[in-house]
Amino acid sequence: MDREKALGIVESKIKGPRFQHTLGVVETAIKLAEKYGADKEQAEIAAIFHDYAKLMPISELKNFLIAAQEDERLLLYHPELWHGPAAAYILKKEFAIENEDILNAIRFHTTGRANMSLLEKIIYLADYIEPGRNFPGVVETRKLAKIDLDQAVYKAISNTISFLVEKKAAIYPDTFEAYNFFILNKN
């Protein structure tokens, strides 16, 4: 699927600030793909569709997770985590996107997971550091992204865990597993 067609599909679902965020993620993902040797077209498609299901009603997202036979633990956590897996399912069913790396990059862009692929790391990080983001730790993470992809992803995951702990919010197990993976595989 070409860029303009994909952007048109996504813009029909998400408009305004959410679409502007998507454009920022796309440009950031392309830059990261170029820097770290990932497939730029795959990064672009994954970035364009990463928030495709973001604005869907929670009941629809839940139905997609059940239909996709996603990890049932997801339903116990905040619905903010549901749009990635739901979007991956929709893209496979409705748009015949079969590339598992693209689908997994979309699926895990909010939680991360242990042993992420290069593309998964790029989409996770692009979503976190795109130019429209402004929160504590993002500037440092952007700087790290120019030097070391793994260190930047690790920093983003660490910041996310710290933020959730401070809010006394539940943390999805995949996020802890991603953090532990980076700690255990530092060298």
Side-chain angles (χ1 to χ4, degrees), residues 15-61:
K15 296 185 184 310
R18 179 58 45 190
F19 187 68
Q20 290 307 308
H21 161 73
T22 294
L23 295 176
V25 173
V26 170
E27 296 315 312
T28 304
I30 290 169
K31 288 176 186 170
L32 290 170
E34 288 170 346
K35 177 160 184 59
Y36 293 106
D39 184 298
K40 287 191 314 188
E41 286 81 26
Q42 289 180 10
E44 184 175 57
I45 289 296
I48 289 170
F49 283 107
H50 84 283
D51 273 354
Y52 181 74
K54 180 80 173 181
L55 302 181
M56 288 183 171
I58 291 172
S59 59
E60 280 185 53
L61 292 174

Side-chain angles (χ1 to χ4, degrees), residues 11-181:
E11 191 173 19
S12 73
K13 286 282 187 190
I14 56 173
K15 296 185 184 310
R18 179 58 45 190
F19 187 68
Q20 290 307 308
H21 161 73
T22 294
L23 295 176
V25 173
V26 170
E27 296 315 312
T28 304
I30 290 169
K31 288 176 186 170
L32 290 170
E34 288 170 346
K35 177 160 184 59
Y36 293 106
D39 184 298
K40 287 191 314 188
E41 286 81 26
Q42 289 180 10
E44 184 175 57
I45 289 296
I48 289 170
F49 283 107
H50 84 283
D51 273 354
Y52 181 74
K54 180 80 173 181
L55 302 181
M56 288 183 171
I58 291 172
S59 59
E60 280 185 53
L61 292 174
K62 183 177 182 178
N63 290 336
F64 283 126
L65 294 180
I66 292 166
Q69 298 180 329
E70 285 289 339
D71 187 334
E72 291 178 7
R73 297 176 303 172
L74 268 171
L75 299 175
L76 302 174
Y77 290 82
H78 197 285
E80 178 68 23
L81 302 179
W82 300 359
H83 69 279
Y89 176 77
I90 293 165
L91 293 174
K92 189 170 188 171
K93 291 293 180 191
E94 294 183 17
F95 299 106
I97 293 177
E98 297 288 336
N99 182 301
E100 284 300 316
D101 205 18
I102 291 172
L103 295 173
N104 283 335
I106 294 166
R107 180 178 286 115
F108 297 107
H109 83 270
T110 58
T111 62
R113 68 173 177 161
N115 202 23
M116 288 188 277
S117 72
L118 177 60
L119 183 60
E120 289 174 57
K121 291 177 198 174
I122 285 170
I123 300 306
Y124 182 88
L125 189 59
D127 183 45
Y128 190 87
I129 67 168
E130 66 93 359
R133 297 286 202 191
N134 184 19
F135 49 81
V138 74
V139 172
E140 182 183 352
T141 308
R142 283 186 187 118
K143 289 176 184 173
L144 280 172
K146 294 176 181 176
I147 302 164
D148 186 313
L149 180 67
D150 283 347
Q151 283 300 308
V153 173
Y154 166 73
K155 181 67 174 163
I157 290 167
S158 299
N159 289 348
T160 298
I161 289 172
S162 295
F163 172 77
L164 292 170
V165 167
E166 191 173 300
K167 282 182 49 177
K168 295 181 174 44
I171 301 168
Y172 191 63
D174 282 355
T175 307
F176 276 129
E177 290 172 13
Y179 174 85
N180 287 337
F181 183 86

